[in-house]
């Protein structure tokens, strides 16, 4: 809250001054009362900026009446404090936040030289000291300071559009392909195949769906962009020499569940890379969520905190990359490159020895945890481990580094490291990873309350120590970051075979689709490697959001209402707002301010902090602090007790957690849903791709685990499609989601349904070969040109897409292959399981994918675990192979004339087999040692389809069936 007195100018930081002799403060804008002093206002007008920085109202009329108006700033009524969020009661508008840093100081304070001169005139003593110091500085050094100040005033990032020479031909070909598709479907619909009408109908339906999916996929790619950041400008603006660092604090979230499937060494490397990140240590806090309540995870973090005292100073002293020791010491490169300190080799050798000893200690803990004692685990002080029952245990918090006073071996402060295990009780819905992330939001808000949050999976380590600075170039830029809810980094992976057999790198999605989404309202949230604005997670709307008309949102209006409305009308207003999905009025001051005192008091009576955020006064107070931070008067012991309270299993009951704030519940892909809700409120996201990948992780590279991972993603998309949050109908009342972004989100949830036409289309070639029918009639010259044009447009579109995106043809081809493999297996099961969950309430429990590979390079690639997901693609492969054999044998029997029609049928069958080839290699395993179940399934299916073909094909003539019947009668068959 702002104290009583004269307000401070939001540009130069000085007092506004008086407008007249009555003691009234100067007012620049009478529409929104944005505090700007007279000197800064004159400068703005001189520079040609004649409108208010906040509401864009012209200054001309306001200047004439400036002596007759004043701002009265006082504390709000205590009665109003109890039912509404700070953004609706604080005298400081939310729009002011983009002009201040995390300490409350104006960020534009030193931007313009004239403002600096004004400050120096008012402080004569400091001015003289500055002049004396400047006189002592050599002229050449003074010349160097001016460019530095200029850099600090420039933007921290810039958009680099794709060159017109690359994107324009791509757009032209897309339009041409749309025209060719229309002509193609006109021909297909008007030329049915009478002899195979069912096959023709199925093929046309599948082709129309594929065209629809392609169109949906093209909308986000219409305007792709790249971004470039300027880390030197970030440092010049927020890390000035001789001044306190003004970079915003960041809370890191690392989540883990089962230490047996997510080895402690993997999690420890992620934590160590966070603690050693290139960022001020007092601004970094790492929270590790142990959702399994495992003592092994707890003890491994204790060992990690001790090793961090040696590892962190080593990383920062020699600027090594990456700062995860396991991946640094196993790199195959010249580690002496760019190193100039002679002591580096000696210290590196000593550090590697320390790390090996640390690994031995961790391995001993893992070996000890293999067999649980009958009485459960006991801690070092003899007390039972509270998490012996992972489904029934109290909340646990342990601060390893930070306020405990532990420093590194050189005596420097270390970032904070906090172990968190939320309370688990039978009968409560814990919401898996989304619930764990929401618990971390509350714990971190009580203990550190950084304005920004970065969440990582336990197997995603920081590969680029400057990654946080990259994100801050967007979030802390006052022009760019005011409406940014998160900055998404691409996912990169280690330990994948060079050919990337199962498209684990997902290059097409991260380097093509996400770039395209960044060109509209922003990329989707992909679950890890994301820096969030904490205020966006709390359900706020962005501060610069335009006012919504009453017809769109019943809590907002475009002008001030002078007369109080009737109580009955306000009740109806509130009822309509409850039905409105976005709940924007609770979190947008600019809309609430349009009501008078009578209306606002009635609205406030319907809202309460507790109903939204839960029963914790400490946490609620933290939500009032837009720039983060913990009150100086806070007692650490009190904060720990409150942190335990906010991770209780019953804390979220009857609140908005998981519904409107935090990670959203209701889907196994909570990431897509969470990002979608934010962007529906008017936020936008940014995609950041630094040259050195920001984060790297491990991916399940064997066939079975990869398909189950894709199954989980697809099931989450189906759940969103069948829920109220479906992008097809959710959030239309607010009108804040761009149409292209809505179509992009629609594409992310409807793609699993492509599995139904895809599996039918993959079986059609085999059916045509076995029956002798075909889905396409005899082609005329015009039809041949049309088909040729369609194939050429497909090829040219792909080539141009590769050109502007910069990905390789091998990555593109792997993506196409796995699109078919996943479509006929995991996506198909996801559709059925999604409908089962909706209709019958049958939920699917997913197991955590193993993060550690076996000994040997890419050993995990050859593991094979037979599951029901593998049945459909195996069946399609065998059916097409049998169909090819049957087609060639039939052509040999009929002679030369049968080879022409056979070519088209075999072409489509080979198309299916070629796309499923990586799946076939996965079935073969290492050195073609095929699992027995695959052999039995192949023999069974091959026998069945061979008998079917023998029954219907050789003994029935397609040319003259009546003659065949007559011959059969004559022969007395």
């Amino acid at each position: 809250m702002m104290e009583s007195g004269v307000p401070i100018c939001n540009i130069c930081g000085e007092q506004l001054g008086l407008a007249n002799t009555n003691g009234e403060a100067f007012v620049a804008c009478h529409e929104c009362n944005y505090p700007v002093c007279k000197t800064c206002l004159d400068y703005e007008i001189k520079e040609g900026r004649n409108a208010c920085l906040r509401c864009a109202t012209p200054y001309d009329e306001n200047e004439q009446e400036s002596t007759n108006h004043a701002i009265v700033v006082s504390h709000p009524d205590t009665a109003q404090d109890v039912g509404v969020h700070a953004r609706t009661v604080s005298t400081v508008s939310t729009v002011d936040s983009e002009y201040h840093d995390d300490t409350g100081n104006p960020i534009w304070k030193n931007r313009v030289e004239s403002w600096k001169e004004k400050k120096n005139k008012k402080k004569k003593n400091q001015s003289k000291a500055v002049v004396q110091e400047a006189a002592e500085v050599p002229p050449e050094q003074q010349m160097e300071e001016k460019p530095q100040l200029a850099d600090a005033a420039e933007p921290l990032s810039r958009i680099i559009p794709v060159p017109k020479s690359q994107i324009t031909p791509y757009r032209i070909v897309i339009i041409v392909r749309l025209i060719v598709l229309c002509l193609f479907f006109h021909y297909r619909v008007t030329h049915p195949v009478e002899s195979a009408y069912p096959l023709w109908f199925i093929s046309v339906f599948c082709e129309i769906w594929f065209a629809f999916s392609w169109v949906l996929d093209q909308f986000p790619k219409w305007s792709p962009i790249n971004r470039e950041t300027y880390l030197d400008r970030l440092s010049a603006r927020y890390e000035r020499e001789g001044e306190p660092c003004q970079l915003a604090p960041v809370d890191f979230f690392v989540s883990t569940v089962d230490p047996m499937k997510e080895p402690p060494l993997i999690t420890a490397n992620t934590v160590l890379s966070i603690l050693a990140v290139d960022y001020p240590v007092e601004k970094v806090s790492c929270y590790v969520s142990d959702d399994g309540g495992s003592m092994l995870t707890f003890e491994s973090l204790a060992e990690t905190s001790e090793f961090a005292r040696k590892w962190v100073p080593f990383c920062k002293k020699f600027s090594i990359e990456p700062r995860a020791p396991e991946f640094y010491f196993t790199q195959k490169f010249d580690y002496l490159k760019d190193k100039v300190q002679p002591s580096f080799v000696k210290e590196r050798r000593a550090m590697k020895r320390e790390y090996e000893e640390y690994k031995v200690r961790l391995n001993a803990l893992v070996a000890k945890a293999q067999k649980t004692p009958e009485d459960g685990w006991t801690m070092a002080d003899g007390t039972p481990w509270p998490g012996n029952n992972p489904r029934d245990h109290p909340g646990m918090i342990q601060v390893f580094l930070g306020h405990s006073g532990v420093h590194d071996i050189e005596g420097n402060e270390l970032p904070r490291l906090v172990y968190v295990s939320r309370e688990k009780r039978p009968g409560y819905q814990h919401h898996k990873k989304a619930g764990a992330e929401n618990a971390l939001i509350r714990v971190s808000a009580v203990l550190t309350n950084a304005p920004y949050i970065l969440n990582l999976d336990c197997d995603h380590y920081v590969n680029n120590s400057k990654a946080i600075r990259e994100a801050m170039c967007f979030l802390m830029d006052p022009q760019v970051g005011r409406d940014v809810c998160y900055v998404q980094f691409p996912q990169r992976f280690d330990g994948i075979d060079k050919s990337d057999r199962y498209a684990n790198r997902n290059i097409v999605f991260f380097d093509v689709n996400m770039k395209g989404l960044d060109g509209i309202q922003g990329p989707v949230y992909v679950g890890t490697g994301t820096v969030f604005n904490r205020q966006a997670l709390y359900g706020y709307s962005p501060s610069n959001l335009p006012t919504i008309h009453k017809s769109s949102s019943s809590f907002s209006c475009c002008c001030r209402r002078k007369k109080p409305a009737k109580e009955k009308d306000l009740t109806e207003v509130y009822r309509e707002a409850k039905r409105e999905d976005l709940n924007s009025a609770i979190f947008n001051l600019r809309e609430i301010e349009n009501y008078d005192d009578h209306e606002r008091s009635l609205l406030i009576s319907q809202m309460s902090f507790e109903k939204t955020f839960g029963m914790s006064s400490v946490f609620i107070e933290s939500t009032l602090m837009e720039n983060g931070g913990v009150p100086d008067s806070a007692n650490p012991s009190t904060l720990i007790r409150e942190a335990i309270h906010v991770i209780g299993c019953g804390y979220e009951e009857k609140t908005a957690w998981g519904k409107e704030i935090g990670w959203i519940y209701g889907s196994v892909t909570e990431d897509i849903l969470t990002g979608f809700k934010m962007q529906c409120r008017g936020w936008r996201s940014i995609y950041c791709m630094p040259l050195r990948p920001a984060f790297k992780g491990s991916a399940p590279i064997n066939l079975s685990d990869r398909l189950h991972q894709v199954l989980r993603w697809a099931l989450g998309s189906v759940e969103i499609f069948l829920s109220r949050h479906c992008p097809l109908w959710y959030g239309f009342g607010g009108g804040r989601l761009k149409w292209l972004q809505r179509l992009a989100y629609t594409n992310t949830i409807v793609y699993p349904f492509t599995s139904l036409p895809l599996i039918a289309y993959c079986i059609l070639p085999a059916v045509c070969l076995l029956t002798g029918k075909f889905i396409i009639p005899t082609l005329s010259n015009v039809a041949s040109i049309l088909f040729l044009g369609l194939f050429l447009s497909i090829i040219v579109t792909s080539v141009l897409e590769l050109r502007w995106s910069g990905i390789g043809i091998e990555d593109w081809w792997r993506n196409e292959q796995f699109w078919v493999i996943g479509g006929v297996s995991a996506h198909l099961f996801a559709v059925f399981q999604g409908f089962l969950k909706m209709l019958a309430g049958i939920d699917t429990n997913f197991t955590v994918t193993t993060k550690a590979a076996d000994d040997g390079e890419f050993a995990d690639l050859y593991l094979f675990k037979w599951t029901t997901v593998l049945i459909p693609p195996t069946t399609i492969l065998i059916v097409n192979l049998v169909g090819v054999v049957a087609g060639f044998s039939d052509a040999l029997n009929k002679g030369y004339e049968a080879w022409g029609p056979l070519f088209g049928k075999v072409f489509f069958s080979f198309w299916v087999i070629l796309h499923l080839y990586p799946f076939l290699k996965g079935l073969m395993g290492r050195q073609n040692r095929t699992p027995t179940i695959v052999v039995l399934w192949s023999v069974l299916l091959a026998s069945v389809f061979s008998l079917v073909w023998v029954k219907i094909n050789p003994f029935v003539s397609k040319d003259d069936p009546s003659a065949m019947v007559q011959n059969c009668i004559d022969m007395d068959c």
Side-chain angles (χ1 to χ4, degrees), residues 333-537:
F333 74 107
D334 182 11
Y335 62 85
L336 294 178
K337 185 179 181 181
D338 300 329
K339 302 300 179 185
V340 296
Q341 299 188 35
S343 61
F344 171 68
V345 175
K346 181 179 180 181
E347 293 191 32
R348 182 183 186 276
R349 187 180 298 115
M351 183 54 60
K352 187 174 183 180
R353 183 169 58 252
E354 292 282 353
Y355 178 65
E356 296 297 336
E357 295 175 357
Y358 162 72
K359 286 176 63 176
V360 170
R361 293 194 296 270
L362 280 191
N363 292 335
L365 294 176
V366 174
K368 177 183 176 182
Q370 298 294 329
K371 186 177 180 181
T372 305
E374 295 181 0
D375 298 333
W377 297 106
T378 304
M379 293 188 291
D381 59 358
T383 58
W385 171 247
N388 278 323
N389 187 347
R391 295 180 178 86
D392 186 3
H393 65 82
M396 296 177 283
I397 296 177
Q398 174 66 44
V399 180
F400 286 107
L401 299 175
H403 281 305
S404 61
V406 179
H407 293 75
D408 63 27
I409 57 176
E410 296 181 358
N412 300 318
E413 184 181 355
L414 287 169
R416 184 181 308 219
L417 175 61
V418 184
Y419 169 87
V420 180
S421 182
R422 58 181 173 145
E423 183 183 13
K424 293 287 188 70
R425 300 297 181 192
Y428 286 91
Q429 179 61 265
H430 299 103
H431 302 289
K432 300 178 181 178
K433 179 182 177 181
E437 296 287 350
N438 284 339
L440 287 182
I441 292 178
R442 298 191 293 271
V443 168
S444 62
V446 172
L447 297 181
T448 52
N449 196 31
Y452 300 109
I453 294 171
L454 191 153
N455 82 299
L456 292 172
D457 289 342
C458 66
D459 62 323
H460 273 71
Y461 64 91
V462 181
N463 183 66
N464 184 349
S465 62
K466 298 183 182 296
I468 313 304
R469 296 176 179 271
E470 298 275 355
M472 291 302 118
C473 285
F474 303 107
L475 294 171
M476 296 190 68
D477 192 314
Q479 298 299 322
V480 178
R482 63 178 66 180
D483 60 346
V484 175
C485 54
Y486 60 83
V487 175
Q488 178 66 63
F489 291 89
Q491 292 186 19
R492 304 300 188 208
F493 302 98
D494 287 318
I496 298 178
D497 58 306
K498 295 181 179 179
S499 63
D500 193 13
R501 180 185 296 180
Y502 305 123
N504 285 277
R505 293 190 179 94
N506 217 354
I507 294 294
V508 173
F509 174 76
F510 287 113
D511 289 22
V512 180
N513 296 48
M514 296 288 270
K515 282 184 180 179
L517 289 173
D518 198 18
I520 42 179
Q521 201 165 344
V524 298
Y525 168 41
V526 297
T528 184
T530 314
V531 184
F532 285 97
N533 184 332
R534 186 184 285 268
Q535 299 293 315
L537 287 171

Side-chain angles (χ1 to χ4, degrees), residues 669-890:
T669 53
E670 69 286 335
D671 45 4
I672 296 291
L673 192 54
T674 301
F676 175 64
K677 291 275 285 187
M678 291 181 185
Q679 294 188 340
C680 281
R681 294 190 184 101
W683 294 94
R684 67 187 181 97
S685 54
I686 282 180
Y687 196 53
C688 181
M689 295 182 62
L691 294 178
R692 180 178 179 85
F695 310 99
K696 280 191 175 183
S698 57
I701 62 175
N702 71 72
L703 180 60
S704 307
D705 286 347
R706 173 66 167 143
L707 288 178
H708 276 93
Q709 182 188 59
V710 174
L711 172 60
R712 188 184 75 246
W713 296 342
L715 179 58
S717 297
V718 175
E719 289 174 347
I720 296 174
F721 178 81
L722 300 176
S723 71
R724 74 183 185 93
H725 292 117
C726 178
L728 293 175
W729 50 73
Y730 178 80
F732 274 100
R736 297 169 179 172
L737 195 67
K738 294 182 180 179
W739 271 104
L740 285 180
Q741 188 72 359
R742 188 177 295 279
L743 291 173
Y745 270 106
T746 301
N747 187 42
T748 62
I749 64 167
V750 301
Y751 75 89
F753 296 96
T754 305
S755 60
L756 299 175
L758 182 60
I759 198 169
Y761 211 74
C762 289
I763 293 177
L764 279 177
V767 175
C768 292
L769 288 168
L770 291 171
T771 60
K773 309 293 184 181
F774 200 38
I775 58 176
I776 300 176
T778 303
L779 298 179
S780 62
N781 292 335
V782 176
S784 301
I785 295 175
L786 189 59
F787 273 77
L788 181 61
L790 179 62
F791 284 114
L792 287 178
S793 66
I794 293 173
I795 295 173
V796 174
T797 304
S798 302
V799 171
L800 292 177
E801 187 174 290
L802 295 177
R803 183 167 174 247
W804 67 255
S805 64
I807 66 174
I809 189 172
E810 183 178 8
D811 293 318
W812 175 84
W813 174 238
R814 290 300 185 209
N815 181 79
E816 292 295 311
Q817 286 181 313
F818 198 79
W819 175 75
V820 176
I821 295 172
V824 300
S825 57
H827 298 172
L828 181 67
F829 276 73
V831 172
F832 284 108
Q833 290 181 8
F835 278 102
L836 281 175
K837 183 176 180 179
M838 183 190 70
L839 299 176
I842 301 176
D843 199 359
T844 305
N845 292 322
F846 291 95
T847 57
V848 179
T849 307
T850 304
K851 304 299 183 184
D854 295 336
D855 294 335
E857 189 176 12
F858 311 129
D860 201 32
L861 177 66
Y862 305 102
L863 293 179
F864 184 86
K865 293 176 263 185
W866 178 261
T867 63
T868 53
V869 179
L870 302 178
I871 293 178
T874 305
T875 304
I876 292 174
L877 261 176
I878 296 172
V879 168
N880 277 276
L881 290 173
V882 171
V884 170
V885 175
F888 275 103
S889 61
D890 185 61

Side-chain angles (χ1 to χ4, degrees), residues 571-645:
T571 304
E572 184 62 23
V573 165
Y574 178 68
R575 289 177 180 174
E576 292 177 1
K578 292 292 288 183
R579 291 192 296 267
E580 216 286 321
D581 286 328
L582 300 181
N583 292 329
S584 59
I586 300 176
F587 307 118
N588 194 344
L589 174 62
R590 293 186 65 187
E591 297 174 12
I592 272 259
E593 276 189 338
N594 291 327
Y595 290 90
D596 57 25
D597 293 338
H598 176 68
E599 292 175 311
R600 191 181 298 111
S601 63
L602 292 177
L603 294 176
I604 288 172
S605 65
Q606 303 291 342
M607 310 172 194
S608 68
F609 285 125
E610 293 80 6
K611 288 183 179 179
T612 303
F613 296 109
M615 300 293 293
S616 172
S617 59
V618 176
F619 173 73
I620 291 173
E621 184 181 0
S622 71
T623 64
L624 310 184
M625 307 171 68
E626 291 187 50
N627 296 317
V630 178
D632 297 333
S633 59
N635 188 343
S637 60
T638 305
L639 294 182
I640 290 294
R641 288 197 299 271
E642 194 66 24
I644 291 290
H645 168 62

